[in-house]
Short mmCIF file of all heavy atoms in Angstrom, two decimals:
data_model
loop_
_atom_site.label_atom_id
_atom_site.label_comp_id
_atom_site.label_asym_id
_atom_site.label_seq_id
_atom_site.Cartn_x
_atom_site.Cartn_y
_atom_site.Cartn_z
N ALA A 1 0.83 -1.20 0.00
CA ALA A 1 0.00 0.00 0.00
C ALA A 1 0.87 1.25 0.00
O ALA A 1 0.59 2.21 -0.71
CB ALA A 1 -0.93 0.00 1.21
N LYS A 2 1.93 1.25 0.79
CA LYS A 2 2.82 2.40 0.85
C LYS A 2 3.50 2.63 -0.50
O LYS A 2 3.69 3.76 -0.95
CB LYS A 2 3.88 2.20 1.94
CG LYS A 2 3.32 2.25 3.35
CD LYS A 2 4.43 2.08 4.38
CE LYS A 2 3.88 2.15 5.79
NZ LYS A 2 4.94 1.99 6.80
N GLU A 3 3.85 1.53 -1.17
CA GLU A 3 4.50 1.65 -2.46
C GLU A 3 3.55 2.24 -3.50
O GLU A 3 3.94 3.08 -4.31
CB GLU A 3 5.00 0.28 -2.93
CG GLU A 3 5.78 0.34 -4.25
CD GLU A 3 6.34 -1.00 -4.64
OE1 GLU A 3 6.30 -1.93 -3.81
OE2 GLU A 3 6.82 -1.12 -5.78
N ARG A 4 2.27 1.82 -3.46
CA ARG A 4 1.29 2.36 -4.40
C ARG A 4 1.10 3.85 -4.16
O ARG A 4 1.02 4.64 -5.09
CB ARG A 4 -0.03 1.61 -4.27
CG ARG A 4 0.01 0.18 -4.83
CD ARG A 4 -1.39 -0.38 -4.96
NE ARG A 4 -2.04 -0.52 -3.66
CZ ARG A 4 -1.96 -1.61 -2.90
NH1 ARG A 4 -1.23 -2.64 -3.30
NH2 ARG A 4 -2.60 -1.67 -1.75
N ASP A 5 1.01 4.24 -2.89
CA ASP A 5 0.86 5.67 -2.57
C ASP A 5 2.08 6.46 -3.02
O ASP A 5 1.95 7.58 -3.53
CB ASP A 5 0.65 5.84 -1.06
CG ASP A 5 -0.70 5.30 -0.59
OD1 ASP A 5 -1.58 5.11 -1.46
OD2 ASP A 5 -0.84 5.06 0.62
N TRP A 6 3.25 5.86 -2.83
CA TRP A 6 4.48 6.54 -3.21
C TRP A 6 4.55 6.73 -4.72
O TRP A 6 4.94 7.80 -5.21
CB TRP A 6 5.69 5.75 -2.73
CG TRP A 6 7.00 6.37 -3.14
CD1 TRP A 6 7.68 7.36 -2.49
CD2 TRP A 6 7.76 6.08 -4.32
NE1 TRP A 6 8.82 7.70 -3.18
CE2 TRP A 6 8.89 6.93 -4.30
CE3 TRP A 6 7.60 5.18 -5.37
CZ2 TRP A 6 9.85 6.90 -5.30
CZ3 TRP A 6 8.56 5.15 -6.37
CH2 TRP A 6 9.67 6.00 -6.33
N LEU A 7 4.17 5.72 -5.50
CA LEU A 7 4.19 5.83 -6.96
C LEU A 7 3.23 6.90 -7.45
O LEU A 7 3.55 7.67 -8.36
CB LEU A 7 3.84 4.47 -7.59
CG LEU A 7 4.89 3.37 -7.46
CD1 LEU A 7 4.35 2.04 -7.97
CD2 LEU A 7 6.15 3.76 -8.22
N LEU A 8 2.05 6.97 -6.84
CA LEU A 8 1.08 8.00 -7.22
C LEU A 8 1.61 9.38 -6.91
O LEU A 8 1.53 10.30 -7.74
CB LEU A 8 -0.25 7.76 -6.50
CG LEU A 8 -1.38 8.74 -6.83
CD1 LEU A 8 -1.79 8.60 -8.30
CD2 LEU A 8 -2.59 8.49 -5.93
N GLN A 9 2.17 9.56 -5.70
CA GLN A 9 2.71 10.86 -5.31
C GLN A 9 3.90 11.26 -6.17
O GLN A 9 4.05 12.42 -6.56
CB GLN A 9 3.11 10.83 -3.84
CG GLN A 9 3.56 12.17 -3.27
CD GLN A 9 2.47 13.21 -3.34
OE1 GLN A 9 1.32 12.93 -2.97
NE2 GLN A 9 2.79 14.40 -3.82
N ALA A 10 4.76 10.28 -6.52
CA ALA A 10 5.94 10.58 -7.32
C ALA A 10 5.57 11.04 -8.71
O ALA A 10 6.15 12.00 -9.24
CB ALA A 10 6.83 9.34 -7.41
N SER A 11 4.58 10.40 -9.34
CA SER A 11 4.17 10.82 -10.68
C SER A 11 3.48 12.18 -10.64
O SER A 11 3.66 13.00 -11.54
CB SER A 11 3.25 9.76 -11.31
OG SER A 11 2.14 9.49 -10.47
N ALA A 12 2.70 12.46 -9.58
CA ALA A 12 2.07 13.78 -9.44
C ALA A 12 3.13 14.86 -9.25
O ALA A 12 3.05 15.94 -9.85
CB ALA A 12 1.09 13.78 -8.27
N ASP A 13 4.15 14.57 -8.44
CA ASP A 13 5.23 15.54 -8.22
C ASP A 13 5.99 15.80 -9.52
O ASP A 13 6.39 16.93 -9.80
CB ASP A 13 6.20 15.03 -7.15
CG ASP A 13 5.60 15.06 -5.76
OD1 ASP A 13 4.57 15.75 -5.58
OD2 ASP A 13 6.15 14.39 -4.86
N ARG A 14 6.20 14.74 -10.31
CA ARG A 14 6.92 14.92 -11.57
C ARG A 14 6.14 15.81 -12.53
O ARG A 14 6.72 16.64 -13.23
CB ARG A 14 7.21 13.55 -12.19
CG ARG A 14 8.24 13.58 -13.29
CD ARG A 14 8.97 12.27 -13.45
NE ARG A 14 8.06 11.15 -13.64
CZ ARG A 14 7.89 10.17 -12.75
NH1 ARG A 14 8.57 10.17 -11.62
NH2 ARG A 14 7.06 9.17 -12.99
N LEU A 15 4.82 15.66 -12.55
CA LEU A 15 4.00 16.53 -13.39
C LEU A 15 4.11 17.99 -12.94
O LEU A 15 4.18 18.90 -13.77
CB LEU A 15 2.54 16.07 -13.35
CG LEU A 15 2.21 14.78 -14.12
CD1 LEU A 15 0.79 14.33 -13.83
CD2 LEU A 15 2.42 14.97 -15.61
N ARG A 16 4.12 18.20 -11.63
CA ARG A 16 4.25 19.57 -11.12
C ARG A 16 5.62 20.14 -11.46
O ARG A 16 5.75 21.32 -11.79
CB ARG A 16 4.03 19.58 -9.60
CG ARG A 16 2.61 19.23 -9.18
CD ARG A 16 2.40 19.45 -7.69
NE ARG A 16 1.10 18.97 -7.26
CZ ARG A 16 0.88 17.78 -6.74
NH1 ARG A 16 1.91 16.95 -6.55
NH2 ARG A 16 -0.33 17.41 -6.37
N GLN A 17 6.66 19.30 -11.39
CA GLN A 17 8.00 19.77 -11.73
C GLN A 17 8.11 20.12 -13.21
O GLN A 17 8.90 20.98 -13.59
CB GLN A 17 9.03 18.70 -11.36
CG GLN A 17 9.23 18.54 -9.87
CD GLN A 17 10.00 17.28 -9.50
OE1 GLN A 17 10.43 16.54 -10.38
NE2 GLN A 17 10.18 17.04 -8.21
N PHE A 18 7.30 19.48 -14.03
CA PHE A 18 7.25 19.81 -15.46
C PHE A 18 6.55 21.14 -15.70
O PHE A 18 6.53 21.64 -16.82
CB PHE A 18 6.53 18.72 -16.24
CG PHE A 18 7.38 17.51 -16.54
CD1 PHE A 18 6.80 16.27 -16.69
CD2 PHE A 18 8.75 17.62 -16.68
CE1 PHE A 18 7.58 15.15 -16.97
CE2 PHE A 18 9.54 16.51 -16.96
CZ PHE A 18 8.95 15.27 -17.10
N GLY A 19 5.94 21.72 -14.65
CA GLY A 19 5.23 22.98 -14.81
C GLY A 19 3.81 22.80 -15.31
O GLY A 19 3.22 23.75 -15.85
N VAL A 20 3.25 21.61 -15.17
CA VAL A 20 1.88 21.36 -15.61
C VAL A 20 0.93 22.19 -14.73
O VAL A 20 1.00 22.11 -13.50
CB VAL A 20 1.54 19.86 -15.51
CG1 VAL A 20 0.06 19.62 -15.81
CG2 VAL A 20 2.42 19.07 -16.46
N PRO A 21 0.04 22.99 -15.34
CA PRO A 21 -0.85 23.84 -14.55
C PRO A 21 -1.78 23.02 -13.66
O PRO A 21 -2.10 21.86 -13.95
CB PRO A 21 -1.65 24.61 -15.61
CG PRO A 21 -0.95 24.40 -16.90
CD PRO A 21 -0.15 23.16 -16.78
N ALA A 22 -2.22 23.64 -12.58
CA ALA A 22 -3.14 22.96 -11.66
C ALA A 22 -4.43 22.57 -12.36
O ALA A 22 -5.04 21.54 -12.04
CB ALA A 22 -3.43 23.86 -10.46
N SER A 23 -4.85 23.39 -13.34
CA SER A 23 -6.08 23.09 -14.08
C SER A 23 -5.95 21.78 -14.86
O SER A 23 -6.90 21.01 -14.98
CB SER A 23 -6.43 24.24 -15.03
OG SER A 23 -5.36 24.47 -15.94
N GLU A 24 -4.75 21.51 -15.41
CA GLU A 24 -4.53 20.27 -16.15
C GLU A 24 -4.50 19.07 -15.20
O GLU A 24 -5.04 18.00 -15.51
CB GLU A 24 -3.22 20.35 -16.93
CG GLU A 24 -2.76 19.05 -17.57
CD GLU A 24 -3.75 18.47 -18.57
OE1 GLU A 24 -4.65 19.21 -19.02
OE2 GLU A 24 -3.63 17.28 -18.89
N LEU A 25 -3.90 19.24 -14.03
CA LEU A 25 -3.91 18.16 -13.04
C LEU A 25 -5.34 17.84 -12.59
O LEU A 25 -5.70 16.67 -12.42
CB LEU A 25 -3.05 18.54 -11.83
CG LEU A 25 -1.53 18.58 -12.06
CD1 LEU A 25 -0.82 19.11 -10.82
CD2 LEU A 25 -1.01 17.20 -12.42
N ALA A 26 -6.15 18.90 -12.42
CA ALA A 26 -7.54 18.69 -12.02
C ALA A 26 -8.32 17.97 -13.13
O ALA A 26 -9.15 17.09 -12.85
CB ALA A 26 -8.19 20.03 -11.69
N ARG A 27 -8.04 18.33 -14.39
CA ARG A 27 -8.71 17.67 -15.51
C ARG A 27 -8.32 16.20 -15.59
O ARG A 27 -9.16 15.32 -15.81
CB ARG A 27 -8.35 18.39 -16.82
CG ARG A 27 -9.11 17.89 -18.05
CD ARG A 27 -8.30 18.05 -19.31
NE ARG A 27 -7.06 17.27 -19.26
CZ ARG A 27 -7.00 15.96 -19.48
NH1 ARG A 27 -8.10 15.26 -19.75
NH2 ARG A 27 -5.84 15.33 -19.41
N LEU A 28 -7.03 15.93 -15.38
CA LEU A 28 -6.53 14.55 -15.41
C LEU A 28 -7.20 13.73 -14.31
O LEU A 28 -7.61 12.58 -14.53
CB LEU A 28 -5.02 14.56 -15.24
CG LEU A 28 -4.28 13.23 -15.38
CD1 LEU A 28 -4.39 12.70 -16.80
CD2 LEU A 28 -2.80 13.40 -15.01
N GLU A 29 -7.34 14.33 -13.14
CA GLU A 29 -7.97 13.66 -12.01
C GLU A 29 -9.45 13.40 -12.29
O GLU A 29 -9.99 12.33 -11.97
CB GLU A 29 -7.82 14.53 -10.76
CG GLU A 29 -8.40 13.95 -9.48
CD GLU A 29 -7.45 12.96 -8.83
OE1 GLU A 29 -6.25 12.96 -9.17
OE2 GLU A 29 -7.92 12.18 -8.00
N ARG A 30 -10.09 14.37 -12.92
CA ARG A 30 -11.54 14.30 -13.14
C ARG A 30 -11.91 13.32 -14.27
O ARG A 30 -12.84 12.53 -14.15
CB ARG A 30 -12.08 15.70 -13.47
CG ARG A 30 -13.59 15.77 -13.64
CD ARG A 30 -14.05 17.20 -13.90
NE ARG A 30 -13.57 17.69 -15.19
CZ ARG A 30 -12.58 18.55 -15.35
NH1 ARG A 30 -11.94 19.02 -14.28
NH2 ARG A 30 -12.21 18.96 -16.55
N THR A 31 -11.18 13.39 -15.38
CA THR A 31 -11.57 12.62 -16.56
C THR A 31 -10.87 11.27 -16.66
O THR A 31 -11.38 10.34 -17.28
CB THR A 31 -11.24 13.41 -17.84
OG1 THR A 31 -9.81 13.59 -17.96
CG2 THR A 31 -11.91 14.78 -17.81
N GLY A 32 -9.66 11.17 -16.08
CA GLY A 32 -8.92 9.92 -16.19
C GLY A 32 -8.39 9.64 -17.57
O GLY A 32 -8.10 8.49 -17.93
N THR A 33 -8.25 10.68 -18.39
CA THR A 33 -7.74 10.51 -19.75
C THR A 33 -6.52 11.41 -19.96
O THR A 33 -6.45 12.53 -19.43
CB THR A 33 -8.81 10.88 -20.80
OG1 THR A 33 -9.22 12.25 -20.59
CG2 THR A 33 -10.01 9.98 -20.69
N VAL A 34 -5.59 10.93 -20.76
CA VAL A 34 -4.36 11.67 -21.04
C VAL A 34 -4.64 12.77 -22.05
O VAL A 34 -5.34 12.56 -23.04
CB VAL A 34 -3.28 10.72 -21.58
CG1 VAL A 34 -2.07 11.50 -22.08
CG2 VAL A 34 -2.86 9.73 -20.51
N GLN A 35 -4.10 13.95 -21.80
CA GLN A 35 -4.19 15.07 -22.74
C GLN A 35 -2.90 15.11 -23.54
O GLN A 35 -1.82 15.35 -23.00
CB GLN A 35 -4.37 16.40 -21.97
CG GLN A 35 -4.50 17.63 -22.85
CD GLN A 35 -5.89 17.76 -23.44
OE1 GLN A 35 -6.82 17.08 -23.04
NE2 GLN A 35 -6.02 18.63 -24.43
N HIS A 36 -2.99 14.86 -24.84
CA HIS A 36 -1.78 14.78 -25.66
C HIS A 36 -1.16 16.15 -25.92
O HIS A 36 0.05 16.29 -25.96
CB HIS A 36 -2.08 14.07 -26.98
CG HIS A 36 -2.29 12.60 -26.82
ND1 HIS A 36 -3.51 12.06 -26.45
CD2 HIS A 36 -1.42 11.54 -26.92
CE1 HIS A 36 -3.39 10.74 -26.36
NE2 HIS A 36 -2.15 10.40 -26.63
N ASP A 37 -1.98 17.17 -26.12
CA ASP A 37 -1.47 18.53 -26.33
C ASP A 37 -1.79 19.36 -25.09
O ASP A 37 -2.96 19.52 -24.74
CB ASP A 37 -2.11 19.19 -27.56
CG ASP A 37 -1.70 18.51 -28.85
OD1 ASP A 37 -0.79 17.68 -28.81
OD2 ASP A 37 -2.31 18.81 -29.90
N ILE A 38 -0.77 19.89 -24.45
CA ILE A 38 -0.98 20.71 -23.25
C ILE A 38 -0.83 22.18 -23.62
O ILE A 38 0.00 22.55 -24.48
CB ILE A 38 0.00 20.32 -22.12
CG1 ILE A 38 -0.38 21.04 -20.83
CG2 ILE A 38 1.43 20.61 -22.51
CD1 ILE A 38 0.39 20.55 -19.63
N THR A 39 -1.64 23.02 -23.00
CA THR A 39 -1.60 24.45 -23.28
C THR A 39 -0.65 25.14 -22.30
O THR A 39 -0.75 24.94 -21.09
CB THR A 39 -3.01 25.07 -23.14
OG1 THR A 39 -3.88 24.44 -24.09
CG2 THR A 39 -2.96 26.57 -23.43
#
């Protein structure tokens, strides 16, 4: 369980380090689909 939580947190942190806007993270969370072109 700890490993699953760590993997989820690590991928979320990597997206933030890429500068992905909070709106895109919220969309990803809401829809569960990958956005190929980011604004």
